[in-house]
Amino acid sequence: MMEALEKVCDAEKKLQDIFHQIDIVEQKNSEKVQQAFSLERLEEADFTGTTGYGYNDVGRDKIERIFAQVLDGEDALVRSQFISGSHALCVALFAYLRPGDTLLSITGKPYDTLDEVIGLVENPSSLASFGVKYHQIDLKDNDFDDAKIEAYLKEHQPKLIEIQRSRGYATRASLTIDKLARIIPKIKALSPKTIIMVDNCYCEFVEEETPLTVGADIMVGSLIKNLGGGIAPNGAYIAGRALLVKLAGERLTLPGEGKEVGPSLGINKQILMGLYLAPSVVSASLKTAILTSYLLEQEGYEVSPKYNDARADIVQTIAFHDREKLISYCGAIQSASPVDSFVKPTPAPMPGYQDDVIMASGSFTQGSSIELSCDGPLREPYIAYQQGSLTYAYGRLAIIKALASIK
Ligand SMILES: *Cc1c(COP(=O)(O)O)cnc(C)c1O
């Protein structure tokens, strides 16, 4: 343990400049949130919320305008009726795609929980079962394959293009706003009617700009990740062009009622506090990830991203190439958690995932991955996907333990 602590202190000296850059982004995003709260004149009465149908939920509507402003969108749908990010992505896809339409992913295979939504894995309720076609263009050298995308768009006009920024359960880099700013105008020039939808899970507040700032039409994310700040009890958001947000509302609830209904059931204050804290929590998560990357690379493990790589998300991967090492690393993270620290994580099947998954998540909110969590599918090369930490101090504590455990 002592040896691990010394290594951490040494690492922090070397990481000073990188941590300072993270502080600057945190400051800018905090300013954005504060300004949105002021502009919308947030007041205590907004915390009250509604029950039943949820008509005239002033706080909920204010939350949606605040999210829209913070994310550079025209409008937003921010609801606890979304189970999580996967559900919001599913609602968006069903809201925009009709039989005969094509969904094109330009970032390879989408996140595992969308396999049955799209119909890559047989499911009688999938988009494929409604006659929605799916095409895919893989990334090239961790970036968009511009040539293939342009060639495709000269032949076809897909209804919707999906861009997933975070790596999901794949081994590739996350996609920075710079890269989106390069590809989106090319898509718009060749296929102006195509809806560009961004799966922004894990990417909020890592940079100052959002996908909407650089021309995406709609973005989707989870409230048990970055923007929930560890406080939101569940939910997700869809933000972007007003017409598209409206269509998503009509799919989430029902045509004709859309965004007008949906009770907030008393969680307005938690959603707002979560958003308020999110820039700081994301900053703590990034520092924890970078510390992990630095230390585990020193120990000889393959890490991605490296400590000094550009990051678009809060995910850190460590390839153990060893089933038992993955299990014991996750065990150490679990033992340093606030809740269920006495539990030993074991690999098990998960709904929506094709392999057994091991998950260390001793979080206040079930499955929350803005809280420090570590998971991975039990398949070669036995990669741990680690993310989150509500504070840097707790993240640091867990990493010291995890480092000692794999010795
Ligand atoms: C986590 C994640 C999702 C799903 O979000 P949940 O809130 O876990 O349902 C979708 N896409 C990506 C890239 C993710 O990281």
mmCIF file of all heavy atoms in Angstrom, residues 190-232:
data_model
loop_
_atom_site.group_PDB
_atom_site.id
_atom_site.type_symbol
_atom_site.label_atom_id
_atom_site.label_comp_id
_atom_site.label_asym_id
_atom_site.label_seq_id
_atom_site.Cartn_x
_atom_site.Cartn_y
_atom_site.Cartn_z
ATOM 1 N N LEU A 190 -23.368 16.550 -48.726
ATOM 2 C CA LEU A 190 -23.761 15.476 -49.647
ATOM 3 C C LEU A 190 -25.185 14.989 -49.415
ATOM 4 O O LEU A 190 -25.835 14.496 -50.324
ATOM 5 C CB LEU A 190 -22.792 14.296 -49.512
ATOM 6 C CG LEU A 190 -21.394 14.533 -50.090
ATOM 7 C CD1 LEU A 190 -20.428 13.461 -49.611
ATOM 8 C CD2 LEU A 190 -21.442 14.565 -51.620
ATOM 9 N N SER A 191 -25.664 15.098 -48.181
ATOM 10 C CA SER A 191 -26.978 14.546 -47.855
ATOM 11 C C SER A 191 -27.667 15.440 -46.830
ATOM 12 O O SER A 191 -27.783 15.089 -45.653
ATOM 13 C CB SER A 191 -26.802 13.113 -47.331
ATOM 14 O OG SER A 191 -28.058 12.505 -47.183
ATOM 15 N N PRO A 192 -28.121 16.615 -47.283
ATOM 16 C CA PRO A 192 -28.590 17.633 -46.336
ATOM 17 C C PRO A 192 -29.788 17.212 -45.490
ATOM 18 O O PRO A 192 -29.983 17.752 -44.408
ATOM 19 C CB PRO A 192 -28.950 18.827 -47.238
ATOM 20 C CG PRO A 192 -28.963 18.317 -48.631
ATOM 21 C CD PRO A 192 -28.141 17.083 -48.681
ATOM 22 N N LYS A 193 -30.573 16.244 -45.969
ATOM 23 C CA LYS A 193 -31.782 15.867 -45.206
ATOM 24 C C LYS A 193 -31.525 14.796 -44.157
ATOM 25 O O LYS A 193 -32.391 14.503 -43.339
ATOM 26 C CB LYS A 193 -32.869 15.385 -46.171
ATOM 27 C CG LYS A 193 -33.471 16.514 -46.994
ATOM 28 C CD LYS A 193 -34.823 16.123 -47.555
ATOM 29 C CE LYS A 193 -35.454 17.292 -48.302
ATOM 30 N NZ LYS A 193 -36.025 16.830 -49.586
ATOM 31 N N THR A 194 -30.354 14.184 -44.215
ATOM 32 C CA THR A 194 -30.043 13.119 -43.252
ATOM 33 C C THR A 194 -29.953 13.682 -41.836
ATOM 34 O O THR A 194 -29.288 14.686 -41.598
ATOM 35 C CB THR A 194 -28.708 12.438 -43.645
ATOM 36 O OG1 THR A 194 -28.884 11.825 -44.909
ATOM 37 C CG2 THR A 194 -28.295 11.391 -42.622
ATOM 38 N N ILE A 195 -30.633 13.017 -40.914
ATOM 39 C CA ILE A 195 -30.571 13.419 -39.507
ATOM 40 C C ILE A 195 -29.263 12.893 -38.912
ATOM 41 O O ILE A 195 -28.994 11.693 -38.979
ATOM 42 C CB ILE A 195 -31.764 12.827 -38.716
ATOM 43 C CG1 ILE A 195 -33.096 13.342 -39.273
ATOM 44 C CG2 ILE A 195 -31.631 13.114 -37.216
ATOM 45 C CD1 ILE A 195 -34.319 12.538 -38.787
ATOM 46 N N ILE A 196 -28.480 13.761 -38.343
ATOM 47 C CA ILE A 196 -27.231 13.326 -37.688
ATOM 48 C C ILE A 196 -27.482 13.241 -36.194
ATOM 49 O O ILE A 196 -27.720 14.247 -35.528
ATOM 50 C CB ILE A 196 -26.071 14.281 -37.999
ATOM 51 C CG1 ILE A 196 -25.845 14.347 -39.519
ATOM 52 C CG2 ILE A 196 -24.794 13.836 -37.270
ATOM 53 C CD1 ILE A 196 -24.739 15.287 -39.952
ATOM 54 N N MET A 197 -27.475 12.002 -35.706
ATOM 55 C CA MET A 197 -27.766 11.747 -34.301
ATOM 56 C C MET A 197 -26.494 11.268 -33.594
ATOM 57 O O MET A 197 -25.840 10.341 -34.059
ATOM 58 C CB MET A 197 -28.849 10.680 -34.177
ATOM 59 C CG MET A 197 -29.228 10.390 -32.742
ATOM 60 S SD MET A 197 -30.480 9.089 -32.609
ATOM 61 C CE MET A 197 -29.440 7.730 -32.131
ATOM 62 N N VAL A 198 -26.177 11.900 -32.483
ATOM 63 C CA VAL A 198 -24.955 11.551 -31.760
ATOM 64 C C VAL A 198 -25.288 10.860 -30.446
ATOM 65 O O VAL A 198 -26.047 11.390 -29.631
ATOM 66 C CB VAL A 198 -24.093 12.807 -31.504
ATOM 67 C CG1 VAL A 198 -22.862 12.465 -30.672
ATOM 68 C CG2 VAL A 198 -23.691 13.457 -32.828
ATOM 69 N N ASP A 199 -24.739 9.662 -30.275
ATOM 70 C CA ASP A 199 -24.767 9.008 -28.962
ATOM 71 C C ASP A 199 -23.635 9.645 -28.170
ATOM 72 O O ASP A 199 -22.459 9.380 -28.420
ATOM 73 C CB ASP A 199 -24.553 7.498 -29.133
ATOM 74 C CG ASP A 199 -24.418 6.777 -27.788
ATOM 75 O OD1 ASP A 199 -24.346 7.461 -26.746
ATOM 76 O OD2 ASP A 199 -24.365 5.528 -27.797
ATOM 77 N N ASN A 200 -24.019 10.511 -27.233
ATOM 78 C CA ASN A 200 -23.019 11.325 -26.515
ATOM 79 C C ASN A 200 -22.714 10.770 -25.121
ATOM 80 O O ASN A 200 -22.107 11.468 -24.307
ATOM 81 C CB ASN A 200 -23.530 12.761 -26.416
ATOM 82 C CG ASN A 200 -22.399 13.759 -26.285
ATOM 83 O OD1 ASN A 200 -21.486 13.758 -27.103
ATOM 84 N ND2 ASN A 200 -22.457 14.607 -25.265
ATOM 85 N N CYS A 201 -23.117 9.549 -24.854
ATOM 86 C CA CYS A 201 -22.888 8.961 -23.530
ATOM 87 C C CYS A 201 -21.419 9.066 -23.134
ATOM 88 O O CYS A 201 -20.548 8.752 -23.943
ATOM 89 C CB CYS A 201 -23.301 7.487 -23.542
ATOM 90 S SG CYS A 201 -25.087 7.270 -23.443
ATOM 91 N N TYR A 202 -21.174 9.477 -21.924
ATOM 92 C CA TYR A 202 -19.838 9.619 -21.313
ATOM 93 C C TYR A 202 -19.049 10.834 -21.797
ATOM 94 O O TYR A 202 -17.922 11.038 -21.349
ATOM 95 C CB TYR A 202 -18.964 8.367 -21.542
ATOM 96 C CG TYR A 202 -19.310 7.188 -20.696
ATOM 97 C CD1 TYR A 202 -19.370 5.912 -21.247
ATOM 98 C CD2 TYR A 202 -19.562 7.323 -19.330
ATOM 99 C CE1 TYR A 202 -19.677 4.798 -20.467
ATOM 100 C CE2 TYR A 202 -19.873 6.220 -18.555
ATOM 101 C CZ TYR A 202 -19.924 4.973 -19.120
ATOM 102 O OH TYR A 202 -20.217 3.877 -18.365
ATOM 103 N N CYS A 203 -19.590 11.617 -22.718
ATOM 104 C CA CYS A 203 -18.779 12.703 -23.300
ATOM 105 C C CYS A 203 -19.139 14.091 -22.775
ATOM 106 O O CYS A 203 -18.365 15.039 -22.982
ATOM 107 C CB CYS A 203 -18.905 12.692 -24.818
ATOM 108 S SG CYS A 203 -18.245 11.175 -25.546
ATOM 109 N N GLU A 204 -20.283 14.247 -22.096
ATOM 110 C CA GLU A 204 -20.701 15.583 -21.691
ATOM 111 C C GLU A 204 -19.697 16.215 -20.734
ATOM 112 O O GLU A 204 -19.234 15.578 -19.792
ATOM 113 C CB GLU A 204 -22.078 15.548 -21.019
ATOM 114 C CG GLU A 204 -23.201 15.043 -21.916
ATOM 115 C CD GLU A 204 -23.374 13.532 -21.841
ATOM 116 O OE1 GLU A 204 -22.563 12.857 -21.178
ATOM 117 O OE2 GLU A 204 -24.332 13.038 -22.470
ATOM 118 N N PHE A 205 -19.391 17.463 -20.990
ATOM 119 C CA PHE A 205 -18.519 18.305 -20.151
ATOM 120 C C PHE A 205 -17.051 17.875 -20.146
ATOM 121 O O PHE A 205 -16.254 18.375 -19.368
ATOM 122 C CB PHE A 205 -19.035 18.393 -18.705
ATOM 123 C CG PHE A 205 -20.303 19.199 -18.554
ATOM 124 C CD1 PHE A 205 -21.137 19.004 -17.452
ATOM 125 C CD2 PHE A 205 -20.681 20.149 -19.492
ATOM 126 C CE1 PHE A 205 -22.307 19.747 -17.296
ATOM 127 C CE2 PHE A 205 -21.852 20.899 -19.346
ATOM 128 C CZ PHE A 205 -22.666 20.685 -18.246
ATOM 129 N N VAL A 206 -16.699 16.926 -21.035
ATOM 130 C CA VAL A 206 -15.272 16.601 -21.165
ATOM 131 C C VAL A 206 -14.588 17.714 -21.962
ATOM 132 O O VAL A 206 -13.444 18.065 -21.723
ATOM 133 C CB VAL A 206 -15.076 15.230 -21.840
ATOM 134 C CG1 VAL A 206 -13.606 14.965 -22.130
ATOM 135 C CG2 VAL A 206 -15.650 14.131 -20.944
ATOM 136 N N GLU A 207 -15.344 18.262 -22.928
ATOM 137 C CA GLU A 207 -14.873 19.408 -23.691
ATOM 138 C C GLU A 207 -15.891 20.533 -23.510
ATOM 139 O O GLU A 207 -16.954 20.325 -22.935
ATOM 140 C CB GLU A 207 -14.745 19.044 -25.173
ATOM 141 C CG GLU A 207 -13.722 17.937 -25.426
ATOM 142 C CD GLU A 207 -13.701 17.478 -26.886
ATOM 143 O OE1 GLU A 207 -13.008 18.108 -27.678
ATOM 144 O OE2 GLU A 207 -14.400 16.502 -27.219
ATOM 145 N N GLU A 208 -15.562 21.707 -24.030
ATOM 146 C CA GLU A 208 -16.490 22.832 -23.872
ATOM 147 C C GLU A 208 -17.633 22.780 -24.876
ATOM 148 O O GLU A 208 -18.747 23.154 -24.569
ATOM 149 C CB GLU A 208 -15.751 24.153 -24.110
ATOM 150 C CG GLU A 208 -14.831 24.548 -22.986
ATOM 151 C CD GLU A 208 -14.004 25.746 -23.404
ATOM 152 O OE1 GLU A 208 -14.596 26.770 -23.791
ATOM 153 O OE2 GLU A 208 -12.773 25.630 -23.371
ATOM 154 N N GLU A 209 -17.314 22.356 -26.099
ATOM 155 C CA GLU A 209 -18.344 22.348 -27.125
ATOM 156 C C GLU A 209 -19.087 21.019 -27.108
ATOM 157 O O GLU A 209 -18.588 20.019 -26.588
ATOM 158 C CB GLU A 209 -17.712 22.569 -28.500
ATOM 159 C CG GLU A 209 -17.157 23.975 -28.651
ATOM 160 C CD GLU A 209 -16.632 24.215 -30.059
ATOM 161 O OE1 GLU A 209 -15.821 23.403 -30.528
ATOM 162 O OE2 GLU A 209 -17.046 25.217 -30.678
ATOM 163 N N THR A 210 -20.285 21.029 -27.680
ATOM 164 C CA THR A 210 -21.075 19.800 -27.775
ATOM 165 C C THR A 210 -21.256 19.449 -29.258
ATOM 166 O O THR A 210 -20.976 20.281 -30.136
ATOM 167 C CB THR A 210 -22.477 19.977 -27.141
ATOM 168 O OG1 THR A 210 -23.334 20.647 -28.088
ATOM 169 C CG2 THR A 210 -22.414 20.772 -25.847
ATOM 170 N N PRO A 211 -21.742 18.262 -29.549
ATOM 171 C CA PRO A 211 -21.988 17.912 -30.958
ATOM 172 C C PRO A 211 -22.928 18.909 -31.647
ATOM 173 O O PRO A 211 -22.797 19.173 -32.847
ATOM 174 C CB PRO A 211 -22.632 16.529 -30.863
ATOM 175 C CG PRO A 211 -22.105 15.959 -29.590
ATOM 176 C CD PRO A 211 -21.979 17.113 -28.648
ATOM 177 N N LEU A 212 -23.870 19.484 -30.879
ATOM 178 C CA LEU A 212 -24.816 20.431 -31.472
ATOM 179 C C LEU A 212 -24.102 21.722 -31.875
ATOM 180 O O LEU A 212 -24.461 22.352 -32.866
ATOM 181 C CB LEU A 212 -25.952 20.750 -30.490
ATOM 182 C CG LEU A 212 -26.753 19.544 -29.973
ATOM 183 C CD1 LEU A 212 -27.800 19.982 -28.947
ATOM 184 C CD2 LEU A 212 -27.426 18.776 -31.122
ATOM 185 N N THR A 213 -23.073 22.100 -31.121
ATOM 186 C CA THR A 213 -22.296 23.298 -31.449
ATOM 187 C C THR A 213 -21.696 23.175 -32.846
ATOM 188 O O THR A 213 -21.534 24.163 -33.551
ATOM 189 C CB THR A 213 -21.126 23.485 -30.438
ATOM 190 O OG1 THR A 213 -21.531 23.078 -29.139
ATOM 191 C CG2 THR A 213 -20.639 24.911 -30.406
ATOM 192 N N VAL A 214 -21.335 21.952 -33.223
ATOM 193 C CA VAL A 214 -20.657 21.756 -34.509
ATOM 194 C C VAL A 214 -21.581 21.133 -35.559
ATOM 195 O O VAL A 214 -21.105 20.551 -36.526
ATOM 196 C CB VAL A 214 -19.351 20.936 -34.350
ATOM 197 C CG1 VAL A 214 -18.344 21.706 -33.495
ATOM 198 C CG2 VAL A 214 -19.622 19.553 -33.756
ATOM 199 N N GLY A 215 -22.898 21.259 -35.367
ATOM 200 C CA GLY A 215 -23.821 20.960 -36.455
ATOM 201 C C GLY A 215 -24.607 19.668 -36.397
ATOM 202 O O GLY A 215 -25.399 19.392 -37.309
ATOM 203 N N ALA A 216 -24.422 18.843 -35.349
ATOM 204 C CA ALA A 216 -25.263 17.646 -35.246
ATOM 205 C C ALA A 216 -26.708 18.082 -35.021
ATOM 206 O O ALA A 216 -26.967 19.174 -34.504
ATOM 207 C CB ALA A 216 -24.804 16.757 -34.092
ATOM 208 N N ASP A 217 -27.661 17.242 -35.436
ATOM 209 C CA ASP A 217 -29.076 17.600 -35.305
ATOM 210 C C ASP A 217 -29.638 17.231 -33.943
ATOM 211 O O ASP A 217 -30.521 17.900 -33.421
ATOM 212 C CB ASP A 217 -29.893 16.892 -36.396
ATOM 213 C CG ASP A 217 -29.466 17.346 -37.776
ATOM 214 O OD1 ASP A 217 -29.555 18.562 -38.037
ATOM 215 O OD2 ASP A 217 -29.021 16.501 -38.575
ATOM 216 N N ILE A 218 -29.134 16.125 -33.399
ATOM 217 C CA ILE A 218 -29.719 15.632 -32.156
ATOM 218 C C ILE A 218 -28.652 14.858 -31.384
ATOM 219 O O ILE A 218 -27.797 14.216 -31.977
ATOM 220 C CB ILE A 218 -30.976 14.761 -32.473
ATOM 221 C CG1 ILE A 218 -31.909 14.639 -31.290
ATOM 222 C CG2 ILE A 218 -30.627 13.412 -33.053
ATOM 223 C CD1 ILE A 218 -32.894 15.759 -31.139
ATOM 224 N N MET A 219 -28.669 14.988 -30.062
ATOM 225 C CA MET A 219 -27.724 14.225 -29.240
ATOM 226 C C MET A 219 -28.468 13.577 -28.086
ATOM 227 O O MET A 219 -29.507 14.076 -27.638
ATOM 228 C CB MET A 219 -26.586 15.116 -28.738
ATOM 229 C CG MET A 219 -27.000 16.199 -27.788
ATOM 230 S SD MET A 219 -25.660 17.384 -27.458
ATOM 231 C CE MET A 219 -24.846 16.583 -26.074
ATOM 232 N N VAL A 220 -27.927 12.449 -27.648
ATOM 233 C CA VAL A 220 -28.609 11.635 -26.645
ATOM 234 C C VAL A 220 -27.593 11.225 -25.575
ATOM 235 O O VAL A 220 -26.450 10.904 -25.890
ATOM 236 C CB VAL A 220 -29.194 10.357 -27.308
ATOM 237 C CG1 VAL A 220 -29.965 9.523 -26.294
ATOM 238 C CG2 VAL A 220 -30.093 10.719 -28.493
ATOM 239 N N GLY A 221 -28.024 11.255 -24.324
ATOM 240 C CA GLY A 221 -27.127 10.814 -23.250
ATOM 241 C C GLY A 221 -27.896 10.366 -22.026
ATOM 242 O O GLY A 221 -29.112 10.551 -21.924
ATOM 243 N N SER A 222 -27.163 9.791 -21.098
ATOM 244 C CA SER A 222 -27.743 9.155 -19.918
ATOM 245 C C SER A 222 -27.583 10.045 -18.692
ATOM 246 O O SER A 222 -26.571 10.708 -18.532
ATOM 247 C CB SER A 222 -27.005 7.837 -19.690
ATOM 248 O OG SER A 222 -27.459 7.204 -18.520
ATOM 249 N N LEU A 223 -28.564 10.034 -17.815
ATOM 250 C CA LEU A 223 -28.444 10.796 -16.568
ATOM 251 C C LEU A 223 -27.823 9.965 -15.442
ATOM 252 O O LEU A 223 -27.596 10.476 -14.357
ATOM 253 C CB LEU A 223 -29.796 11.352 -16.120
ATOM 254 C CG LEU A 223 -30.399 12.443 -17.006
ATOM 255 C CD1 LEU A 223 -31.625 13.043 -16.332
ATOM 256 C CD2 LEU A 223 -29.408 13.546 -17.338
ATOM 257 N N ILE A 224 -27.558 8.686 -15.678
ATOM 258 C CA ILE A 224 -26.751 7.966 -14.688
ATOM 259 C C ILE A 224 -25.290 7.955 -15.144
ATOM 260 O O ILE A 224 -24.476 7.177 -14.670
ATOM 261 C CB ILE A 224 -27.290 6.566 -14.340
ATOM 262 C CG1 ILE A 224 -27.440 5.683 -15.556
ATOM 263 C CG2 ILE A 224 -28.624 6.678 -13.599
ATOM 264 C CD1 ILE A 224 -27.774 4.216 -15.196
ATOM 265 N N LYS A 225 -25.001 8.856 -16.063
ATOM 266 C CA LYS A 225 -23.613 9.135 -16.448
ATOM 267 C C LYS A 225 -23.364 10.629 -16.218
ATOM 268 O O LYS A 225 -23.940 11.209 -15.295
ATOM 269 C CB LYS A 225 -23.357 8.695 -17.887
ATOM 270 C CG LYS A 225 -23.468 7.175 -18.018
ATOM 271 C CD LYS A 225 -23.165 6.675 -19.412
ATOM 272 C CE LYS A 225 -23.273 5.164 -19.460
ATOM 273 N NZ LYS A 225 -23.185 4.661 -20.848
ATOM 274 N N ASN A 226 -22.573 11.248 -17.080
ATOM 275 C CA ASN A 226 -22.017 12.591 -16.811
ATOM 276 C C ASN A 226 -23.014 13.642 -16.327
ATOM 277 O O ASN A 226 -22.780 14.294 -15.318
ATOM 278 C CB ASN A 226 -21.309 13.134 -18.051
ATOM 279 C CG ASN A 226 -20.180 12.221 -18.514
ATOM 280 O OD1 ASN A 226 -20.166 11.044 -18.205
ATOM 281 N ND2 ASN A 226 -19.235 12.769 -19.255
ATOM 282 N N LEU A 227 -24.099 13.868 -17.085
ATOM 283 C CA LEU A 227 -24.934 15.033 -16.776
ATOM 284 C C LEU A 227 -25.791 14.852 -15.541
ATOM 285 O O LEU A 227 -26.338 15.818 -15.011
ATOM 286 C CB LEU A 227 -25.826 15.406 -17.975
ATOM 287 C CG LEU A 227 -25.123 16.099 -19.143
ATOM 288 C CD1 LEU A 227 -26.141 16.620 -20.145
ATOM 289 C CD2 LEU A 227 -24.218 17.238 -18.688
ATOM 290 N N GLY A 228 -25.903 13.623 -15.059
ATOM 291 C CA GLY A 228 -26.639 13.397 -13.815
ATOM 292 C C GLY A 228 -25.812 13.778 -12.591
ATOM 293 O O GLY A 228 -26.352 13.895 -11.487
ATOM 294 N N GLY A 229 -24.520 13.951 -12.792
ATOM 295 C CA GLY A 229 -23.634 14.386 -11.708
ATOM 296 C C GLY A 229 -23.665 13.477 -10.489
ATOM 297 O O GLY A 229 -23.262 13.885 -9.398
ATOM 298 N N GLY A 230 -24.137 12.246 -10.663
ATOM 299 C CA GLY A 230 -24.213 11.318 -9.538
ATOM 300 C C GLY A 230 -25.406 11.566 -8.633
ATOM 301 O O GLY A 230 -25.613 10.865 -7.654
ATOM 302 N N ILE A 231 -26.222 12.562 -8.973
ATOM 303 C CA ILE A 231 -27.365 12.919 -8.120
ATOM 304 C C ILE A 231 -28.693 12.477 -8.755
ATOM 305 O O ILE A 231 -29.583 12.010 -8.061
ATOM 306 C CB ILE A 231 -27.411 14.444 -7.855
ATOM 307 C CG1 ILE A 231 -26.058 14.959 -7.352
ATOM 308 C CG2 ILE A 231 -28.541 14.784 -6.884
ATOM 309 C CD1 ILE A 231 -25.709 14.583 -5.939
ATOM 310 N N ALA A 232 -28.819 12.630 -10.067
ATOM 311 C CA ALA A 232 -30.062 12.217 -10.738
ATOM 312 C C ALA A 232 -30.299 10.730 -10.472
ATOM 313 O O ALA A 232 -29.380 9.923 -10.623
ATOM 314 C CB ALA A 232 -29.949 12.473 -12.239
#
